[in-house]
Amino acid sequence: MTQPNPWNELLELVVTGRGALLPTRAALYAADLRTLCPISSGAHPYARLVLHHSDQGEVMLATWRRGGLSAPHDHGLARGFVVILAGQFLETTYRFDGADLRASSRRERTMGDLLEARPGDTHDPCAQDDGLSLHVYVPRIHGMRVYDRASRATLRVADDC
């Protein structure tokens, strides 16, 4: 009998509205995921490895170095979840007030936590120590925007990044 594709299983949880089960299901694969960890160069706050992508969605693994901070970003039209597999993070969420992107909340995140990504949500995670996160989005991320707060610029990320 053929083993089901674990990535399709995780995508199906998001599609069917059962994303809250992701931490439990991801924990089953945690040991295997740790062997796949992409290596971050000193110039980048994190490294990513796309584990699966299809018309239905994508699954990505990210390793974070201590102090690694992503720029504020959304997830385009995708919705999904980020599961913290290792490490401590400080997640800042933002809102646009008509003139500027402003921080609206900050939350500490730790192993087993589930961060929800909805279309239009903007956030930036900052690794407080070395970390590992699993990202599951449906559909695939398309039209993602990254915000450079210093220059007040919005950048659209290429779909093949």
Side-chain angles (χ1 to χ4, degrees), residues 6-134:
W7 316 133
N8 284 334
E9 176 193 359
L10 298 180
L11 289 168
E12 193 63 25
L13 290 174
V14 176
V15 168
T16 59
R18 297 178 297 143
L21 297 174
L22 281 168
T24 303
R25 298 306 298 163
L28 297 175
Y29 309 119
D32 291 334
L33 290 170
R34 283 185 179 84
T35 68
L36 299 173
C37 288
I39 306 213
S40 177
S41 72
H44 300 288
Y46 61 90
R48 52 188 291 254
L49 172 66
V50 175
L51 300 169
H52 175 81
H53 63 89
S54 65
D55 290 341
Q56 184 178 31
E58 68 183 61
V59 180
M60 186 263 293
L61 185 66
T63 55
W64 298 77
R65 62 179 171 82
R66 179 185 301 269
L69 171 67
S70 76
H73 63 278
D74 64 21
H75 299 95
L77 299 175
R79 63 185 170 87
F81 296 90
V82 177
V83 180
I84 305 300
L85 298 174
Q88 302 279 335
F89 292 82
L90 180 62
E91 179 193 27
T92 303
T93 57
Y94 295 87
R95 64 176 173 71
F96 185 68
D97 70 4
D100 287 308
L101 191 64
R102 300 212 186 270
S104 57
S105 71
R106 286 191 174 84
R107 287 187 62 189
E108 290 187 14
R109 304 295 195 151
T110 190
M111 189 172 81
D113 282 354
L114 185 66
L115 291 66
E116 185 172 6
R118 293 178 300 241
D121 286 352
T122 302
H123 76 143
D124 68 15
C126 179
Q128 305 300 295
D129 51 11
D130 293 341
L132 181 65
S133 55
L134 181 69

